[in-house]
Amino acid sequence: MDELKNDLLAFFQINDEQSFTQEQILDHFGTSDRRMKLIMHGLIGELTDEGSIVRQSDGSYRADANANLVEGVVDHVNSRFAFVIPGTANGVRGDRDDDIWVSTEDLAGAVDGDRVRVVRFTDSRNRGRRIEGKVASVLERGRTELVGRIEVWPTYGFVVPDSKKIYEDIFIPKEKLGGANDNEKVVVRLTKYPDSSTGKQHFEGEVVTVLGLAGQNNTEMHAILAEFGLPIHFPEDVEQEAEAIPTQIQKKELAKRRDMREATTFTIDPIDAKDFDDALSVQLLDNGNYEIGVHIADVTHYVLPGSKLEAEAYKRATSVYLVDRVVPMLPEKLSNGLCSLRPNEDKLTFSAVFEMNANAKIVNEWFGRTIIHSNRRFAYEEAQDILNNNSGDYLEELRLLNELAYKLRDERFKHGAINFETVEVRFRLDENGVPLAVYPKIRQDTNKLIEEFMLLANKRVAEFVHSLSRQNKGHEENVMVYRVHEGPDEAKLRSFADFARRLGYKLNVDDEHLSNSMNRFMASIEGKPEANMLQQLAVRTMSKARYTTEDLGHFGLAFRRYSHFTSPIRRYPDMMAHRLLQHYLDKGKPVDREEYEEKSKHASDRERMAAEAERASIKYKQVEFMSRMAPGQQFEGVISGVTEFGFFVEITENSCEGLVRMQDLTDDYYEFDKDNYRIVGNRHKKMYTFGDPVVVRLKETNLARRSMDFVLANDKAEGSSVSGESNVRRSARRNESRGSRGSSASSSRRTSSSERKQGPAAKGENRRGGRSRR
């Protein structure tokens, strides 16, 4: 009975623009039996009483427009369908099972990134299906500009968007071309969106920026920044304000600070770094203990509230690290100059100073503003060579710090920290930005040394601010910007454990100490071909770390409290932490929580955007690197993902990933076995499973889409090609008649959605018709 009631309500929700008499409803559901008619009448009455449907003045019924509505953001993952991601209180994506599946034809003109109101179909969860719905209205457009490659014709142009989630080209009238030439990358301001009544995706726009010729390194990196809404240049007034800051340290400023210029101090950073956020100092105390100073650039001494620099830093919220460049949060005068802890210069810092014994236990700690003088700038490789060879500058200090770091790390893992070691790739580029080599980043002792002392400072600052709450009236808790990481979703974790078990690995999620079980699992996969993929999947079972004023702790690090304090040159939350720490050191009262929570959410959003841009630049360079490979060259790889349309392969030597499409497997007809993460041939029962080693050849690279296709080395599929777009599509476009704007604009760049059907769904056609089910 409940199922029939849900089907009945779903019928009204699908056909929400029409009203129906009881006779029409009975006819639609093919109800002729007297008993069933009485049941249907009763269910219609129940739905009316509940407010799910409304009785019209003429006696007909229709869906209540405001019933079962949910607000969310469109994630248009496929040309055929999208997901609407419901909003959450903390702004973080919730459980993916709560995402609402929407057919493209039911998007009502909404596109990727739009905030919408969606009708959630009542019967969606029956029989284990995903939640389904349709868009009722677009509340806010998520994109006002798009980046893409322009095709210029005599009387108009088309822009092919770079975004993989926009499935139509953008029509540009001749007078709006903005001087762009054929095959240039441009930024387009959208002036017309898809029609909400028909749902057809027809964009119009105007060129606002010409980035340069498509395919050139500088153009493509600028295109990635523009695609994710990230700035390329600083506004002139911000640069001017930075240039006006005095470089000389005033004597009155020195008097306010602890002078630590006599302590042995150095920095250890990547070889190509210029923004040195942090330095370490080492002194042996008379009592045999060690004084370890973690000194952080005092950015907030120079960037003041209310200034243009402050507004720009907040807006950016983070530096962005693309493959070949850094887009800094602060102008170069500050990031690489005044604030950077360069060697042989006096620098203003905010410091966490720890007295530690030989077991790395903290005996005393002090927090405050200081002045330091760095004696030496090390690259990680230099410092590592000194440790390896037992010879070089500051050997004893480096050796001591390394021993203490080992003990700090052991203590972290003993208390439940999880050892995630995912592979990061690096590139060797020529002078034009062309990738000559791709290789994994190697984390050595010196990398981990710096990491441990930064973790210590971040943790202790958070704990110290919290401890100062005792001085408040009624012990009111001090507001702080925390870096939090909530525990894993149990359902996701069990699903992953089951997946790992099928591959022969054990992960006991019922273990009282989950972190110990996870670390044992990580140790068991170390050195295996599928290790990198499994580590990435394990990370995805966890919540994403974020900034908030909520005191929730950090699961992955096993810290009760944790903040970001150590990188204010490149992270706005660290600037907030500096200001809050000083405020409470000055015996200030708790600040406004809502203000800092809003800033924290903004910083988390910008961090995610920057990470997406960084991944896009890596993917572009990987595709560019592979496009230069010799035709027919074979690569050993591992199956890193399996889908209904093929499987992904990660090349072992360089971590480049591409797709082997189902249609290119010519020896059999393969079907997707979702439960076992594999595809299986119908006739020969040959299987390709996640983690299997394979040998592939490059079939095609598409720089515009930042994607590549592989074929198995023993397959007869056609050889490799390199393109900015599909050759078939390009040829088809060039051969089309361009006589009228109407026919041109309606041509689809990818598979277009079917036309919206008029009237209610056909009787008994599917769930939406009320009887048969998919």
Side-chain angles (χ1 to χ4, degrees):
M1 195 69 71
D2 288 341
E3 192 171 323
L4 180 58
K5 183 178 177 180
N6 284 338
D7 276 351
L8 184 58
L9 179 54
F11 168 77
F12 278 105
Q13 291 172 335
I14 288 294
N15 304 293
D16 60 347
E17 295 179 359
Q18 302 175 63
S19 61
F20 301 90
T21 65
Q22 291 207 22
E23 289 72 24
Q24 287 173 319
I25 296 165
L26 294 174
D27 179 63
H28 183 83
F29 280 84
T31 307
S32 56
D33 178 78
R34 182 173 178 275
R35 180 173 170 275
M36 281 302 300
K37 285 183 178 181
L38 289 173
I39 290 173
M40 291 290 279
H41 286 310
L43 293 176
I44 291 171
E46 284 184 24
L47 290 173
T48 305
D49 292 342
E50 293 168 1
S52 299
I53 62 175
V54 178
R55 191 175 189 273
Q56 308 284 85
S57 58
D58 63 358
S60 63
Y61 297 85
R62 68 179 301 162
D64 183 352
N66 295 316
N68 235 15
L69 287 175
V70 177
E71 287 188 16
V73 176
V74 175
D75 183 11
H76 204 169
V77 297
N78 185 290
S79 62
R80 294 176 289 112
F81 61 85
F83 288 101
V84 173
I85 304 164
T88 58
N90 58 21
V92 176
R93 184 171 185 160
D95 193 322
R96 289 181 183 271
D97 289 341
D98 293 331
D99 295 351
I100 301 166
W101 186 96
V102 180
S103 168
T104 294
E105 66 184 52
D106 286 333
L107 284 173
V111 297
D112 185 72
D114 287 353
R115 191 165 64 87
V116 299
R117 186 172 283 123
V118 62
V119 179
R120 185 171 56 187
F121 298 143
T122 306
D123 71 339
S124 295
R125 275 284 171 84
N126 283 353
R127 302 193 182 183
R129 287 200 304 271
R130 62 166 70 92
I131 306 174
E132 298 181 18
K134 74 172 187 176
V135 171
S137 60
V138 177
L139 301 176
E140 183 182 2
R141 292 293 183 183
R143 300 169 183 263
T144 58
E145 296 182 342
L146 287 171
V147 179
R149 182 186 53 78
I150 195 165
E151 294 180 14
V152 178
W153 296 85
T155 57
Y156 54 83
F158 271 93
V159 171
V160 183
D162 281 358
S163 172
K164 295 180 180 180
K165 296 184 178 182
I166 302 295
Y167 300 94
E168 292 292 325
D169 299 342
I170 304 152
F171 176 82
I172 312 292
K174 183 177 181 179
E175 65 275 12
K176 302 291 187 180
L177 289 171
N181 297 311
D182 192 57
N183 203 38
E184 288 186 320
K185 277 286 176 81
V186 297
V187 180
V188 176
R189 180 180 296 120
L190 298 175
T191 57
K192 182 179 178 182
Y193 289 84
D195 189 290
S196 60
S197 60
T198 66
K200 294 178 181 177
Q201 295 201 42
H202 293 165
F203 288 103
E204 285 192 19
E206 57 183 349
V207 175
V208 293
T209 307
V210 177
L211 297 172
L213 191 64
Q216 292 183 346
N217 180 68
N218 210 44
T219 299
E220 296 299 338
M221 293 301 106
H222 283 171
I224 287 170
L225 292 171
E227 178 183 345
F228 292 98
L230 300 167
I232 297 173
H233 305 292
F234 283 97
E236 189 175 340
D237 57 350
V238 174
E239 291 277 16
Q240 289 174 351
E241 189 173 270
E243 289 300 323
I245 297 174
T247 57
Q248 201 73 24
I249 298 173
Q250 303 296 314
K251 285 186 179 180
K252 63 179 182 179
E253 185 60 38
L254 289 179
K256 303 176 188 175
R257 295 175 178 264
R258 179 173 170 177
D259 192 340
M260 298 192 69
R261 286 177 288 184
E262 296 304 315
T264 298
T265 306
F266 45 76
T267 61
I268 309 177
D269 290 280
I271 194 166
D272 55 352
K274 295 179 181 176
D275 52 343
F276 308 139
D277 276 293
D278 54 86
L280 294 177
S281 66
V282 183
Q283 292 189 91
L284 178 62
L285 301 178
D286 293 338
N287 62 5
N289 289 337
Y290 310 105
E291 184 181 86
I292 310 298
V294 181
H295 307 288
I296 309 301
D298 192 358
V299 172
T300 55
H301 171 77
Y302 298 104
V303 180
L304 303 177
S307 67
K308 293 181 174 63
L309 280 166
E310 163 70 16
E312 186 68 17
Y314 172 73
K315 179 181 173 183
R316 295 181 178 224
T318 181
S319 295
V320 184
Y321 293 82
L322 303 187
V323 168
D324 69 333
R325 71 194 64 199
V326 178
V327 182
M329 183 179 77
L330 300 171
E332 188 174 345
K333 167 83 177 278
L334 291 166
S335 61
N336 294 355
L338 273 179
C339 297
S340 185
L341 306 184
R342 300 184 298 197
N344 305 313
E345 296 180 21
D346 289 351
K347 291 291 180 178
L348 301 181
T349 46
F350 212 142
S351 302
V353 182
F354 304 104
E355 180 183 341
M356 306 179 80
N357 63 24
N359 293 318
K361 301 294 184 184
I362 296 174
V363 178
N364 283 304
E365 61 185 9
W366 178 90
F367 303 93
R369 287 186 141 120
T370 54
I371 181 169
I372 67 163
H373 187 97
S374 175
N375 305 102
R376 176 77 150 82
R377 185 258 160 150
F378 289 108
Y380 284 118
E381 295 81 0
E382 286 180 289
Q384 190 65 47
D385 285 344
I386 291 170
L387 287 174
N388 292 345
N389 299 323
N390 284 314
S391 175
D393 294 346
Y394 303 107
L395 171 62
E396 293 307 315
E397 288 84 353
L398 286 170
R399 189 183 284 156
L400 169 64
L401 290 171
N402 197 38
E403 289 171 359
L404 293 174
Y406 264 98
K407 291 170 182 174
L408 289 170
R409 188 155 55 250
D410 289 344
E411 189 72 10
R412 271 200 306 117
F413 288 130
K414 190 168 79 175
H415 283 85
I418 299 176
N419 186 25
F420 287 125
E421 290 272 1
T422 54
V423 175
E424 294 182 44
V425 296
R426 291 288 182 266
F427 296 83
R428 184 161 57 86
L429 309 174
D430 70 9
E431 64 276 7
N432 297 315
V434 176
L436 304 177
V438 186
Y439 56 93
K441 175 184 174 182
I442 298 173
R443 276 170 44 82
Q444 302 185 86
D445 279 354
T446 48
N447 299 83
K448 296 174 183 179
L449 179 161
I450 292 297
E451 180 181 75
E452 286 304 322
F453 283 102
M454 297 307 114
L455 290 174
L456 178 66
N458 287 333
K459 171 189 172 184
R460 294 309 307 164
V461 164
E463 292 285 5
F464 180 70
V465 167
H466 178 75
S467 72
L468 291 178
S469 300
R470 291 193 298 267
Q471 70 189 15
N472 298 333
K473 185 177 180 181
H475 299 305
E476 181 185 356
E477 186 177 343
N478 284 331
V479 174
M480 182 61 176
V481 174
Y482 296 105
R483 179 70 167 179
V484 303
H485 181 228
E486 291 141 294
D489 179 271
E490 186 175 345
K492 288 181 183 177
L493 196 59
R494 290 189 180 279
S495 176
F496 174 71
D498 181 61
F499 173 48
R501 180 182 57 77
R502 292 167 191 261
L503 295 177
Y505 299 105
K506 183 179 179 181
L507 174 60
N508 185 6
V509 296
D510 295 319
D511 197 317
E512 183 181 349
H513 300 290
L514 174 62
S515 57
N516 293 336
S517 180
M518 185 67 80
N519 285 333
R520 287 194 297 270
F521 168 75
M522 290 295 177
S524 72
I525 66 175
E526 189 174 351
K528 303 292 175 60
E530 62 272 23
N532 185 36
M533 282 81 73
L534 285 171
Q535 285 168 347
Q536 291 181 37
L537 289 174
V539 169
R540 290 176 194 169
T541 68
M542 304 289 166
S543 304
K544 283 195 183 334
R546 60 189 175 92
Y547 298 106
T548 180
T549 57
E550 297 180 82
D551 185 7
L552 301 176
H554 199 292
F555 175 81
L557 295 172
F559 288 162
R560 175 60 191 86
R561 290 179 186 85
Y562 185 65
S563 65
H564 269 174
F565 171 80
T566 55
S567 297
I569 292 178
R570 61 184 179 90
R571 292 189 307 225
Y572 188 78
D574 301 57
M575 289 176 57
M576 289 193 284
H578 281 217
R579 286 180 178 143
L580 289 171
L581 175 57
Q582 187 61 57
H583 175 75
Y584 296 127
L585 284 170
D586 294 338
K587 303 194 182 324
K589 295 179 180 178
V591 298
D592 179 53
R593 185 177 297 275
E594 287 188 13
E595 176 190 344
Y596 278 88
E597 183 62 27
E598 183 181 342
K599 289 179 177 180
S600 297
K601 285 183 179 179
H602 169 74
S604 296
D605 290 341
R606 297 301 291 176
E607 178 189 35
R608 283 192 291 272
M609 199 73 76
E612 288 178 17
E614 289 164 14
R615 283 193 294 270
S617 78
I618 290 170
K619 189 67 178 178
Y620 181 88
K621 287 299 176 188
Q622 286 178 321
V623 175
E624 185 181 9
F625 174 74
M626 291 299 295
S627 72
R628 295 163 51 81
M629 296 295 100
Q633 186 172 344
Q634 296 185 2
F635 304 92
E636 293 183 358
V638 177
I639 295 178
S640 56
V642 186
T643 73
E644 60 188 4
F645 48 82
F647 54 84
F648 290 92
V649 175
E650 182 177 287
I651 296 174
T652 306
E653 67 180 272
N654 57 31
S655 298
C656 295
E657 187 178 63
L659 175 66
V660 175
R661 297 184 183 274
M662 204 84 87
Q663 66 199 40
D664 288 331
L665 298 172
T666 56
D667 63 330
D668 203 341
Y669 178 80
Y670 288 84
E671 291 187 339
F672 179 39
D673 180 0
K674 181 180 179 181
D675 292 337
N676 293 297
Y677 313 98
R678 66 189 180 188
I679 60 172
V680 183
N682 273 357
R683 286 181 294 134
H684 305 304
K685 304 304 178 186
K686 187 173 183 179
M687 293 180 289
Y688 293 99
T689 306
F690 181 97
D692 282 353
V694 290
V695 179
V696 295
R697 290 184 291 109
L698 183 66
K699 179 188 177 186
E700 181 182 45
T701 58
N702 189 322
L703 285 166
R705 311 300 304 158
R706 299 191 284 272
S707 65
M708 52 189 145
D709 286 359
F710 296 145
V711 292
L712 296 176
N714 58 359
D715 199 287
K716 303 298 183 184
E718 61 186 69
S720 64
S721 68
V722 181
S723 67
E725 61 172 322
S726 163
N727 292 331
V728 173
R729 190 181 138 256
R730 177 89 179 178
S731 176
R733 183 184 300 284
R734 290 299 183 190
N735 291 330
E736 282 178 352
S737 169
R738 295 295 182 175
S740 70
R741 180 259 177 272
S743 62
S744 302
S746 63
S747 62
S748 173
R749 182 158 64 90
R750 284 156 235 162
T751 306
S752 62
S753 62
S754 60
E755 296 294 326
R756 180 183 297 275
K757 295 182 180 179
Q758 299 301 312
K763 186 187 298 183
E765 180 184 16
N766 52 27
R767 172 185 62 73
R768 299 182 178 191
R771 285 194 302 207
S772 302
R773 292 179 175 274
R774 289 195 291 273

